[in-house]
Amino acid sequence: MNRAILVIYRPAAGRYAAQFRSVVAAAAERGVATVALLPTGQPAAEAAGLPCYHADLDDREAVRSVVATILAAHPVQRIFPLFEGDVLTAAHCRRDHGIQGLDPEEALTFRDKNVMHRRAVELGVPVARSCRPETVGAVAEFAAEVGWPVVIKPYAGWACGDTHRVDSAEDLARVWPLIADDRHDYRVEEYVRGAEYHVDSLLRDGEVVFEQLSRYTYSVLEFRDEPGGTVSRKHDLTTAERRILAASATVLRGFGMRTGVAHVEFFLRDDGEVVFGEAAARAGGGSIVPAIQAGRGINLAGEWCRLELDPEHVPAATLGPEIGTEYLCSDRYGRITAITTADELRALDAVRDADVWKAVGDVLAVPTASNDVLGWYVCEGRDFDDVRARFKVIRDSFEVRTEPVGQQ
């Protein structure tokens, strides 16, 4: 093969395995070889037979050095980062070697929430009010202006990690010591009340060639208190929901994406105002990719690869019923002694797919991020309310039993 792609892949995050396999298959369909860049000390069974290189993926300069070695030996034409934390590093590698795709200026717009919100404002898309937490007094003054609660989050974070909903001055006194030493890595936003949506899109040459609007069944910030679910919105879209799709396209083009995959989040206030949340230049996290595959017949990561390698490719998405997906959670902490399997979940009515990441013997602890869960399932239904009702039935069928750690 005289063409190759490079996939930056973290096998420890098992939810990306299907994306990796889909990208490899899409490249092979077009006679293009795949080279894998993996974290140091982490082999990947799904990369068996492929040229594999290793680096500390959290060290940008180390990755750039290894990528230079890779390109000296392989005719790499595109770079595919599957994980949020690798998007900016991949952009630097593209610029180093003149490879098409997001450059660092564009990638930063998808990674830095300070930058992305400023750019959204320039594009005429409303955003949440925000401030920098230079002092605890600055946060308190901001809260007095916009009202409690406020949200303190890393400007380059993901999956709600190190994100804090602060409900009062007393709560701020508790949270401030947790972020004070690293305050310049954080931003403060007003808490936007309303329905939360996400748009998962594929672009080619700056035009949207696939988009899926979905609505969360919960507040993403409340991942410790309620399971995380999302339901597709394919049929009978409201005027406001169509405005969300239009705003998403505006954001993606304005952020500089030409060909790629993106996950963009919005709020819909009770008064009908659409408010931009954040955008990522990658396929949606958690079980969004398998949910779209079950409901639309395409794998977002694989389609991204096809669009990059074939300028004539058109995603062959179907429509079908509404599809929902929900994380599998448990408030039973300790060592697992019994757990419902993925096969048992798939046997339930309306369940299209499922995966359980935990097994007997694993230890469950209090979650620290919105994707710190036990697995997921995908089901179908007539509409948003029907899917959400099915969630409860399936959730109640999922059982976990534990014992205190150390008990024989």
Side-chain angles (χ1 to χ4, degrees):
M1 295 182 181
N2 58 6
R3 294 196 297 163
I5 63 169
L6 172 62
V7 183
I8 304 176
Y9 174 52
R10 299 182 184 237
R15 66 206 73 186
Y16 297 105
Q19 293 188 36
F20 178 81
R21 289 191 291 265
S22 293
V23 170
V24 173
E29 290 169 6
R30 282 150 179 79
V32 178
T34 298
V35 180
L37 177 55
L38 309 172
T40 301
Q42 293 187 26
E46 52 270 32
L50 301 177
C52 293
Y53 295 75
H54 293 80
D56 178 355
L57 298 187
D58 295 319
D59 183 338
R60 182 182 301 164
E61 295 311 310
V63 172
R64 294 170 75 177
S65 176
V66 173
V67 169
T69 299
I70 293 171
L71 266 68
H74 303 275
V76 171
Q77 296 190 341
R78 296 290 190 276
I79 300 177
F80 295 89
L82 303 182
F83 173 63
E84 176 80 12
D86 297 324
V87 168
L88 186 55
T89 297
H92 280 275
C93 294
R94 291 191 192 100
R95 185 174 65 184
D96 289 345
H97 303 282
I99 294 174
Q100 289 186 31
L102 291 178
D103 64 23
E105 175 73 18
E106 295 158 346
L108 193 66
T109 310
F110 285 95
R111 285 291 298 122
D112 186 320
K113 295 177 179 59
N114 297 320
V115 176
M116 73 174 67
H117 275 232
R118 174 61 190 177
R119 182 65 183 128
V121 170
E122 293 173 353
L123 294 168
V125 179
V127 302
R129 290 172 288 181
S130 65
C131 79
R132 301 288 184 93
E134 282 93 354
T135 66
V136 66
V139 180
E141 288 178 8
F142 177 73
E145 176 187 347
V146 303
W148 301 102
V150 296
V151 180
I152 301 178
K153 62 172 67 173
Y155 70 81
W158 58 82
C160 294
D162 295 323
T163 296
H164 307 272
R165 169 176 161 161
V166 182
D167 291 288
S168 64
E170 293 74 22
D171 205 15
L172 177 58
R174 175 188 63 82
V175 170
W176 183 254
L178 303 177
I179 67 109
D181 290 349
D182 300 308
R183 68 190 70 181
H184 294 299
D185 294 333
Y186 288 81
R187 58 184 271 115
V188 185
E189 295 179 8
E190 67 173 314
Y191 185 88
V192 180
R193 300 184 186 279
E196 298 182 36
Y197 287 82
H198 59 92
V199 183
D200 296 275
S201 305
L202 291 163
L203 278 75
R204 184 185 60 211
D205 296 329
E207 296 301 322
V208 176
V209 295
F210 171 85
E211 59 186 0
Q212 172 67 68
L213 176 68
S214 301
R215 179 179 171 182
Y216 288 110
T217 61
Y218 73 120
S219 168
V220 176
L221 285 175
E222 305 307 320
F223 63 86
R224 291 183 179 85
D225 304 318
E226 49 188 316
T230 177
V231 180
S232 65
R233 292 286 298 121
K234 304 175 188 176
H235 308 286
D236 303 320
L237 270 61
T238 66
T239 300
E241 288 172 332
R242 294 187 186 281
R243 290 206 311 273
I244 292 173
L245 290 174
S248 178
T250 296
V251 164
L252 294 177
R253 285 193 291 264
F255 282 15
M257 179 170 284
R258 297 292 300 163
T259 297
V261 62
H263 174 79
V264 189
E265 299 193 341
F266 291 91
F267 299 90
L268 179 60
R269 294 188 193 267
D270 293 340
D271 62 5
E273 182 185 32
V274 172
V275 179
F276 170 70
E278 54 191 66
R282 49 142 176 97
S287 53
I288 289 173
V289 170
I292 288 178
Q293 186 152 3
R296 304 300 300 272
I298 63 172
N299 181 284
L300 290 174
E303 291 300 297
W304 175 24
C305 182
R306 293 181 181 93
L307 290 167
E308 291 277 12
L309 299 179
D310 180 359
E312 303 301 320
H313 178 70
V314 177
T318 57
L319 195 58
E322 299 293 8
I323 296 290
T325 181
E326 190 174 51
Y327 279 144
L328 294 167
C329 305
S330 175
D331 58 1
R332 295 175 178 269
Y333 305 126
R335 192 175 307 279
I336 298 174
T337 59
I339 186 169
T340 302
T341 67
D343 286 341
E344 290 170 331
L345 288 170
R346 293 190 196 103
L348 298 175
D349 180 53
V351 173
R352 298 280 295 273
D353 198 3
D355 197 6
V356 178
W357 298 328
K358 301 295 184 180
V360 171
D362 289 341
V363 175
L364 298 185
V366 176
T368 59
S370 63
N371 61 2
D372 191 0
V373 295
L374 285 69
W376 51 265
Y377 64 86
V378 173
C379 72
E380 65 177 68
R382 295 185 305 275
D383 53 29
F384 181 87
D385 291 330
D386 182 49
V387 174
R388 186 163 55 177
R390 292 176 187 271
F391 279 174
K392 185 178 188 313
V393 174
I394 299 165
R395 190 188 314 141
D396 290 347
S397 300
F398 180 69
E399 295 184 345
V400 180
R401 293 197 292 273
T402 61
E403 64 184 11
V405 175
Q407 182 173 326
Q408 300 298 320

